[in-house]
Amino acid sequence: MNSVVLVGRLTKDPELRYMPGTGTAIATFTIAIDRDYKKKDGTKETDFIPIEVIGKAAEFCANYITKGRLVAIQGRIKVDRYKTQAGENRSFTKVSTGSVQALDYKTNPQDNPSFEPTPGLDPNGFTAIDDDDIPF
């Protein structure tokens, strides 16, 4: 069985492309995952895992998930093999998935460029009123 579940933060915004011929969406990005233990000097090591998302989930990632967001990935390990122009055999290991779940949410209006506050409202959506307007 080839199954993996990872939770980590995106190191950059996903890159979206479409497969020629089929038009299938593919998003690629890397997630950072801290290791559970600390080194002797007290620092933690971080692993950077390349992720490939296929299908509708790829379009979701490209449109709604950005750098720094916490995500859960459920997929499988995939090893791509290729030859360089010099004839050397190389391999590249990544996680391939069609399942990505965002685990945190954007709450800061400044993080959302399409957010436009309504005049007279503060960023949290409350209307400012004067104490003299309160009937009690």
Side-chain angles (χ1 to χ4, degrees):
M1 179 189 322
N2 182 356
S3 182
V4 63
V5 175
L6 301 170
V7 175
R9 293 195 180 275
L10 272 70
T11 61
K12 64 179 183 171
D13 290 345
E15 295 177 11
L16 181 66
R17 68 184 200 290
Y18 294 91
M19 289 181 66
T22 64
T24 303
I26 298 175
T28 56
F29 54 88
T30 301
I31 61 172
I33 303 170
D34 286 337
R35 293 189 180 177
D36 289 338
Y37 60 89
K38 292 182 181 180
K39 295 191 289 187
K40 289 182 181 181
D41 64 359
T43 61
K44 283 189 174 185
E45 286 192 28
T46 302
D47 292 312
F48 298 93
I49 312 293
I51 308 293
E52 173 185 74
V53 185
I54 301 171
K56 291 189 182 234
E59 292 176 338
F60 167 80
C61 290
N63 292 324
Y64 299 105
I65 298 179
T66 56
K67 177 181 177 179
R69 298 285 304 273
L70 185 66
V71 294
I73 309 288
Q74 181 177 3
R76 63 186 182 87
I77 295 176
K78 182 177 178 183
V79 179
D80 288 339
R81 292 176 176 83
Y82 62 96
K83 278 193 175 190
T84 65
Q85 290 180 346
E88 298 174 336
N89 290 325
R90 298 279 172 99
S91 63
F92 181 74
T93 304
K94 61 187 169 188
V95 174
S96 181
T97 184
S99 175
V100 176
Q101 184 175 7
L103 299 178
D104 63 354
Y105 301 96
K106 285 186 183 178
T107 56
N108 188 352
Q110 287 76 21
D111 291 342
N112 186 354
S114 64
F115 177 80
E116 294 181 18
T118 306
L121 296 179
D122 75 358
N124 296 320
F126 297 105
T127 305
I129 60 171
D130 190 357
D131 287 342
D132 294 335
D133 293 337
I134 300 174
F136 47 90

